[in-house]
Amino acid sequence: MIKVVKFGGSSLASATQFAKVGNIIKADPERKFVVPSAPGKRNSKDTKVTDMLYACYDLAEAEKDFSKELKKIKERYEAIINGLHLTLSLDDEFKIIEENFKKKAGSQYAASRGEYLNGIIMANYLGYDFVDSAEVIIFNEDGSFDADTTDKLLGERLSKLENAVVPGFYGATLGGVVKTFSRGGSDITGSLVSKAVHATAYENWTDVSGFLIADPRIIDNPKPIKVITYRELRELSYMGASVLHEDSVFPVRKAGIPINIRNTNAPDDEGTWIVESTCHHPAYTITGIAGKKGFVSVNIDKDMMNAEVGFGRKVLSAFEENGINFEHMPSGIDTMTVFVHEPEFAAKEQAVISAINRNAHPDSIEIEADLALIAVVGRGMKSTRGTAGRIFSALAHANVNVKMIDQGSSELNIIIGVSDNDFDTAIKAIYDIFVTTQL
Amino acid sequence: MIKVVKFGGSSLASATQFAKVGNIIKADPERKFVVPSAPGKRNSKDTKVTDMLYACYDLAEAEKDFSKELKKIKERYEAIINGLHLTLSLDDEFKIIEENFKKKAGSQYAASRGEYLNGIIMANYLGYDFVDSAEVIIFNEDGSFDADTTDKLLGERLSKLENAVVPGFYGATLGGVVKTFSRGGSDITGSLVSKAVHATAYENWTDVSGFLIADPRIIDNPKPIKVITYRELRELSYMGASVLHEDSVFPVRKAGIPINIRNTNAPDDEGTWIVESTCHHPAYTITGIAGKKGFVSVNIDKDMMNAEVGFGRKVLSAFEENGINFEHMPSGIDTMTVFVHEPEFAAKEQAVISAINRNAHPDSIEIEADLALIAVVGRGMKSTRGTAGRIFSALAHANVNVKMIDQGSSELNIIIGVSDNDFDTAIKAIYDIFVTTQL
């Protein structure tokens, strides 16, 4: 049984945090492979080491003196080393970095040193082997990721080791040029390592106890989600919930490895399990609520529209011609409404309207702005009758005017349109009815 | 103030019915122009005169003896004349009809005689002028209706008369060839007369006291609708409610003339007013419920679908290529569902699926049959918060599984998808919550 553990920047920002991480790893002998991020912020006014590296390298590239800045970075690491009472010197490493900065080795190389150095410290602290990701995470010359070669090299290398530290965020071309992942960062590395070693679980340690049912900026102390499917996760993340980047879950999802989101500062919390599918009965009927503001509805009326083959296609073509993606298209009888993102639509509004008129000859077109869409997501909704009734009764009691409802046959989510002004109220009302009052 | 009154076949099936009609017309001096249908059934085993005429003419066209059949038709009219104690003979009229049948004047001519003769009796009974529709309702040679010429001739002729009877259902070309309306029949004539005389109201007298909130085959004694807009009417009729044909309301709708559906057998009932728009507060939050069975849902999943410009259009093209009209297209995140009519879809199912695969490359396509769509329609829904909540709570209590919800920005209707088996239960539950318990 092998677990891969990835730690985020705030989990590794200081010696104190490193010590917590050490305890977590040692508490479970299955936690054999460790993927560290670069040191994050120690407090809200602090700077992440990665950002310090970018700034420092900018000076190098401008052929200005960067010694003071590099020294400060070195001090961050030394504070961790000293705090952990390690006998480790990074002098040689920093000499190489200084030389490479002078040679203008690239900002991706510069940024990657945050994880690289943290990985060295982590390996020393744990007594684990250190594997430089530049040797096992492989990019093509054009900067795209080479999944097959990576899986092969990473698998071969790690199969020979009892345990190891593999720094996140970067890799290199076979020619040795360091490249970083553009989005998802160390989460992707953790996912790749998990796949390569056929892990039984990929633990992703952060500073929150898993995903929350709703946005904590709207709901006080929302409950965490215990188990969520990839599908539900994607739905919540699409609607604005802050979760793992798509690219970072892809390798483990393909391999069927569950992800466990954990909190370094509350290691006893179970966190959230992300799985392909599950018979785990959710704690509440709904798994999560998420939403986004800033939508526009384009409401199109035409007598006998429903009898006109191709009408919907003609309307949608008008949006497509202008490169605008539609979000939802609820329809009544002789009326259809197309929901689009306001920023995308605003500039092309008149072009789209004239295209609709040209393509589909509607009787009228009405536009309403400042709308929000809310997704109520949950695999438990399909088997629970009355979910829709509870949602809309709750919204009515909260005096929220429902402007759009969309629920297809998948029954995994209901999309609700409300005015931007009603957004928070609506989310609170839905959270309360399903979670606070535990219906 | 001019009212046009049109009477359906059952209102004019016998002398007893004629007398009721006479009382209705005389009760209001504004009822100046009368549009009669042909005599309908006097009881459930009876035959409509129009059907007797078709059968009789078929014999004539086959050059068989039709004298017995024509005599029976004459007897129907004579029973009315005698019952009303009129001194009117139709001998000459029937001689002409017999000659024209022998000349094979056409089945449209034959059918039109039902209204023509009833109009003559009605004019005699009321002491009104008789205007033969063949002179004022004008068709083109190809059988299409000539609205402009009709409006001109009809207006000129009726402006010279204090009151008149204009038989429904037929007109003629300027060359004198009798033509009939294919659908909507006498209702269209009434509508045309109303427009031509700038009527203040078009009273359409039938055997029901207006439109009902729900189908009486599902709901016992459903309440009538007092005021309905054309828009609402169209929505209910599209979803299967039996109402006036589209063509028959078009002329009065254009002219802004309200229609009043009344019951000849209960003339004190107010019936239903059909209007363009109204500030009349509806008696209930909903105006009506209607629905149809026999839909299929095609549920299409694709990861990241929402980020793909043109995805919806590609899917809809697959239906359009096969000449299939879609009814509704609710969408979630990474999922969309297309509702189509089962009879239309079944034969082309595999062609559509393969076109979807070819056009849009989805991850999966699932088909569910035996679904019903229910439209809850009402202009009062927009201003009443909580309508959706009440609907879905009612359905939950009735153990109806809601498979689809669609409500666009018009907020004039909510479309609900349920299994065919739940159709009646669902309509009952919605009727009860809004009408029986008067919420």
Side-chain angles (χ1 to χ4, degrees):
Chain A
M1 304 286 268
I2 299 171
K3 286 177 186 159
V4 172
V5 286
K6 178 260 171 184
F7 292 89
S10 68
S11 302
L12 300 168
S14 65
T16 318
Q17 291 299 87
F18 254 78
K20 287 183 191 168
V21 166
N23 288 335
I24 289 166
I25 294 170
K26 282 162 197 162
D28 183 348
E30 291 178 3
R31 290 174 178 143
K32 292 180 198 293
F33 298 99
V34 182
V35 177
S37 299
K41 293 182 184 185
R42 289 159 297 186
N43 55 63
S44 62
K45 287 177 184 165
D46 204 10
T47 309
K48 290 179 181 180
V49 165
T50 306
D51 291 333
M52 296 169 79
L53 284 162
Y54 278 124
C56 180
Y57 182 73
D58 283 349
L59 292 172
E61 194 147 82
E63 293 179 5
K64 290 183 185 162
D65 177 40
F66 59 88
S67 55
K68 209 175 65 188
E69 284 71 16
L70 195 62
K71 190 160 166 274
K72 275 197 177 166
I73 296 168
K74 195 172 175 219
E75 283 166 8
R76 282 288 302 263
Y77 286 105
E78 280 168 350
I80 294 170
I81 291 169
N82 296 334
L84 296 171
H85 311 292
L86 304 178
T87 54
L88 172 69
S89 164
L90 294 177
D91 290 353
D92 292 349
E93 296 297 344
F94 271 91
K95 218 164 276 166
I96 295 168
I97 291 170
E98 189 179 353
E99 279 163 25
N100 283 330
F101 272 33
K102 283 182 178 158
K103 284 188 210 157
K104 299 180 186 171
S107 68
Q108 293 192 29
Y109 166 79
S112 75
R113 295 305 92 184
E115 276 75 9
Y116 172 78
L117 294 167
N118 231 19
I120 289 173
I121 298 172
M122 178 65 83
N124 184 285
Y125 176 54
L126 296 171
Y128 279 19
D129 281 293
F130 175 75
V131 174
D132 186 356
S133 300
E135 297 164 15
V136 286
I137 308 279
I138 307 305
F139 285 80
N140 298 308
E141 295 295 331
D142 66 2
S144 64
F145 176 62
D146 180 348
D148 291 341
T149 311
T150 296
D151 199 45
K152 187 168 165 286
L153 292 182
L154 199 52
E156 281 172 5
R157 180 73 164 272
L158 298 181
S159 68
K160 292 170 197 148
L161 302 172
E162 177 60 22
N163 41 40
V165 173
V166 186
F169 188 41
Y170 73 95
T173 64
L174 289 173
V177 180
V178 170
K179 302 274 181 190
T180 55
F181 291 109
S182 57
R183 293 193 291 184
S186 298
D187 289 329
I188 301 185
T189 310
S191 190
L192 294 170
V193 170
S194 300
K195 179 168 186 287
V197 302
H198 307 295
T200 47
Y202 169 25
E203 293 182 349
N204 191 309
W205 291 79
T206 65
D207 52 4
V208 289
S209 293
F211 299 132
L212 303 170
I213 291 179
D215 189 335
R217 288 166 300 182
I218 298 172
I219 305 294
D220 275 344
N221 258 320
K223 300 267 183 194
I225 299 168
K226 290 198 176 171
V227 181
I228 190 169
T229 64
Y230 284 108
R231 174 73 185 262
E232 292 173 318
L233 188 71
R234 155 93 182 119
E235 292 178 352
L236 288 174
S237 95
Y238 183 78
M239 285 305 278
S242 160
V243 293
L244 294 177
H245 188 268
E246 198 75 22
D247 293 345
S248 70
V249 301
F250 187 76
V252 280
R253 184 176 184 177
K254 276 275 168 189
I257 300 166
I259 304 177
N260 189 197
I261 308 292
R262 300 289 287 268
N263 188 349
T264 301
N265 304 314
D268 292 336
D269 288 356
E270 288 175 47
T272 301
W273 281 95
I274 311 172
V275 298
E276 184 61 44
S277 65
T278 175
C279 62
H280 176 275
H281 201 71
Y284 310 100
T285 304
I286 62 166
T287 301
I289 315 162
K292 283 196 275 195
K293 293 184 179 183
F295 287 94
V296 168
S297 75
V298 183
N299 192 37
I300 298 142
D301 278 12
K302 185 176 188 181
D303 234 35
M304 311 291 283
M305 169 195 298
N306 285 55
E308 186 178 333
V309 173
F311 188 85
R313 195 261 313 151
K314 288 173 203 162
V315 168
L316 294 186
S317 296
F319 290 88
E320 192 183 355
E321 283 168 24
N322 288 284
I324 292 171
N325 194 16
F326 79 99
E327 285 298 302
H328 295 282
M329 196 189 88
S331 58
I333 294 152
D334 296 342
T335 171
M336 59 183 274
T337 307
V338 182
F339 277 79
V340 290
H341 289 279
E342 192 156 350
E344 207 181 335
F345 179 69
K348 291 172 179 168
E349 181 187 273
Q350 296 308 318
V352 171
I353 290 173
S354 101
I356 295 172
N357 277 314
R358 200 171 52 241
N359 294 356
H361 310 289
D363 295 337
S364 73
I365 303 178
E366 264 174 57
I367 293 180
E368 185 173 1
D370 302 321
L371 296 174
L373 291 178
I374 296 170
V376 184
V377 171
R379 61 190 183 281
M381 287 161 53
K382 194 161 187 162
S383 56
T384 314
R385 280 198 178 125
T387 308
R390 291 211 290 271
I391 292 173
F392 296 110
S393 297
L395 293 176
H397 288 140
N399 278 327
V400 170
N401 202 4
V402 175
K403 292 180 173 285
M404 182 275 257
I405 307 173
D406 214 346
Q407 184 214 294
S409 290
S410 81
E411 293 180 61
L412 288 173
N413 60 51
I414 296 182
I415 313 285
I416 301 151
V418 300
S419 148
D420 273 353
N421 293 331
D422 283 339
F423 184 69
D424 286 14
T425 313
I427 288 180
K428 272 181 198 143
I430 297 168
Y431 183 87
D432 282 351
I433 198 79
F434 286 105
V435 183
T436 312
T437 64
Q438 292 231 28
L439 277 172
Chain B
M1 305 284 269
I2 299 171
K3 286 178 186 161
V4 171
V5 286
K6 178 259 168 182
F7 293 89
S10 69
S11 302
L12 299 168
S14 65
T16 318
Q17 291 298 88
F18 253 78
K20 286 184 193 169
V21 166
N23 288 335
I24 288 166
I25 294 170
K26 284 164 196 162
D28 183 349
E30 292 177 4
R31 291 175 178 142
K32 292 182 199 292
F33 298 99
V34 181
V35 177
S37 299
K41 295 183 184 185
R42 290 160 296 188
N43 55 61
S44 61
K45 286 179 184 162
D46 203 10
T47 308
K48 291 180 182 181
V49 166
T50 307
D51 291 333
M52 295 169 80
L53 284 161
Y54 278 125
C56 181
Y57 182 74
D58 283 350
L59 292 172
E61 195 149 82
E63 295 179 4
K64 293 185 183 158
D65 176 40
F66 60 87
S67 54
K68 207 175 64 187
E69 284 71 17
L70 195 60
K71 187 158 167 278
K72 275 199 177 161
I73 295 168
K74 195 169 175 226
E75 284 165 6
R76 280 290 302 265
Y77 285 106
E78 281 169 349
I80 295 170
I81 290 169
N82 296 335
L84 296 172
H85 311 294
L86 302 179
T87 52
L88 173 70
S89 164
L90 293 179
D91 290 352
D92 292 347
E93 296 296 344
F94 270 91
K95 219 164 273 166
I96 295 168
I97 292 170
E98 188 179 352
E99 279 163 26
N100 284 328
F101 273 33
K102 283 183 178 157
K103 284 188 210 155
K104 299 181 188 169
S107 68
Q108 293 192 31
Y109 165 79
S112 75
R113 296 304 92 185
E115 276 74 10
Y116 171 79
L117 294 167
N118 231 18
I120 288 173
I121 298 173
M122 176 66 81
N124 184 283
Y125 177 55
L126 295 173
Y128 280 17
D129 282 294
F130 176 75
V131 175
D132 184 357
S133 301
E135 298 164 15
V136 286
I137 307 277
I138 307 305
F139 286 79
N140 298 308
E141 295 294 331
D142 65 1
S144 65
F145 175 62
D146 180 347
D148 292 340
T149 310
T150 297
D151 198 43
K152 189 169 161 288
L153 292 182
L154 199 52
E156 280 172 8
R157 179 74 164 273
L158 298 182
S159 67
K160 294 172 197 146
L161 302 172
E162 178 61 21
N163 39 42
V165 173
V166 185
F169 188 40
Y170 73 97
T173 64
L174 288 173
V177 179
V178 169
K179 302 274 182 188
T180 54
F181 291 109
S182 56
R183 291 193 291 184
S186 297
D187 289 328
I188 301 186
T189 309
S191 190
L192 294 171
V193 170
S194 301
K195 180 167 184 286
V197 302
H198 308 294
T200 47
Y202 169 25
E203 293 182 349
N204 192 309
W205 292 80
T206 64
D207 52 4
V208 289
S209 294
F211 300 132
L212 303 170
I213 293 179
D215 189 336
R217 287 167 297 184
I218 299 172
I219 305 294
D220 274 345
N221 258 320
K223 301 264 181 194
I225 299 168
K226 290 200 173 165
V227 181
I228 190 169
T229 63
Y230 284 108
R231 175 71 184 264
E232 291 173 320
L233 187 72
R234 156 90 183 119
E235 292 177 353
L236 289 174
S237 96
Y238 183 80
M239 285 306 279
S242 159
V243 293
L244 294 176
H245 189 268
E246 198 74 22
D247 292 345
S248 70
V249 300
F250 188 74
V252 280
R253 183 176 183 176
K254 275 276 171 190
I257 300 166
I259 304 176
N260 189 194
I261 307 292
R262 299 288 287 268
N263 188 348
T264 301
N265 304 315
D268 293 335
D269 288 355
E270 289 173 45
T272 300
W273 282 95
I274 310 172
V275 297
E276 182 62 43
S277 65
T278 176
C279 63
H280 176 276
H281 200 73
Y284 309 101
T285 303
I286 62 166
T287 300
I289 315 162
K292 283 196 276 196
K293 293 184 180 183
F295 288 93
V296 168
S297 75
V298 182
N299 191 37
I300 298 143
D301 279 9
K302 185 177 188 182
D303 233 34
M304 311 290 283
M305 169 195 297
N306 285 56
E308 188 177 332
V309 174
F311 187 85
R313 195 261 313 151
K314 288 173 203 162
V315 169
L316 293 186
S317 296
F319 289 88
E320 192 183 353
E321 284 168 25
N322 289 285
I324 292 171
N325 194 17
F326 77 100
E327 284 300 303
H328 295 283
M329 195 190 86
S331 58
I333 294 154
D334 297 343
T335 171
M336 59 184 275
T337 307
V338 182
F339 278 79
V340 290
H341 288 279
E342 192 155 348
E344 205 181 336
F345 178 70
K348 292 171 178 169
E349 180 187 274
Q350 295 309 315
V352 172
I353 291 172
S354 101
I356 296 172
N357 277 316
R358 200 171 51 241
N359 294 356
H361 310 289
D363 294 340
S364 73
I365 302 177
E366 265 174 55
I367 293 179
E368 185 173 0
D370 302 323
L371 296 175
L373 291 179
I374 296 170
V376 183
V377 171
R379 61 191 184 282
M381 287 162 53
K382 194 163 187 161
S383 57
T384 314
R385 281 197 178 124
T387 308
R390 291 211 290 272
I391 293 173
F392 296 111
S393 297
L395 293 176
H397 288 138
N399 278 328
V400 171
N401 202 4
V402 174
K403 293 181 172 285
M404 184 275 258
I405 307 173
D406 215 346
Q407 183 214 297
S409 290
S410 81
E411 292 179 61
L412 288 173
N413 61 52
I414 296 182
I415 313 285
I416 301 151
V418 302
S419 149
D420 274 353
N421 294 332
D422 283 338
F423 183 69
D424 287 12
T425 312
I427 287 180
K428 273 182 199 145
I430 297 168
Y431 183 86
D432 282 350
I433 198 80
F434 286 105
V435 183
T436 312
T437 64
Q438 293 231 29
L439 275 172

